[in-house]
Amino acid sequence: MLKQKTNSGSKKRFALTGSGKIKRKHAYHSHILTKKTKKRKRNLDHFAILDQANQKQVKDLLCMR
C-alpha cells in the first residue's frame, strides 16, 4: 500500500501545539493594512486555535490520523 502524502499547503499553514491542538493564523493580515487600526492589526498577529468543526479535515490533510 502506498504512503499517504501530506498536503504541502497545509503544512505551511498549520502547526501543532504541545497538547496536540492545531494552531492557525488569522486572515486579513497580509495586505490593505492602511485602513485597519493598529489594534485590529495587532490582534490579527496572534495565532488562534483551530475550531473543533475543522479539526478532522485538517488532520486528514496533515496525515495525522
Side-chain angles (χ1 to χ4, degrees):
M1 189 166 150
L2 295 172
K3 289 184 180 179
Q4 189 177 6
K5 290 188 177 179
T6 301
N7 184 281
S8 295
S10 297
K11 67 184 174 186
K12 295 169 192 170
R13 287 174 170 81
F14 301 105
L16 252 82
T17 62
S19 60
K21 296 177 184 174
I22 300 172
K23 290 192 301 187
R24 65 169 179 85
K25 288 187 178 178
H26 285 280
Y28 307 110
H29 191 58
S30 58
H31 58 87
I32 314 176
L33 299 172
T34 52
K35 63 176 78 171
K36 295 172 186 157
T37 63
K38 287 181 182 179
K39 181 180 178 181
R40 184 173 165 193
K41 288 185 279 192
R42 186 172 60 243
N43 289 334
L44 290 172
D45 203 29
H46 304 299
F47 280 96
I49 300 297
L50 191 70
D51 194 55
Q52 190 69 36
N54 301 320
Q55 280 201 352
K56 180 182 180 294
Q57 184 181 16
V58 172
K59 283 185 177 183
D60 286 342
L61 292 169
L62 296 174
C63 299
M64 293 174 49
R65 294 182 331 109

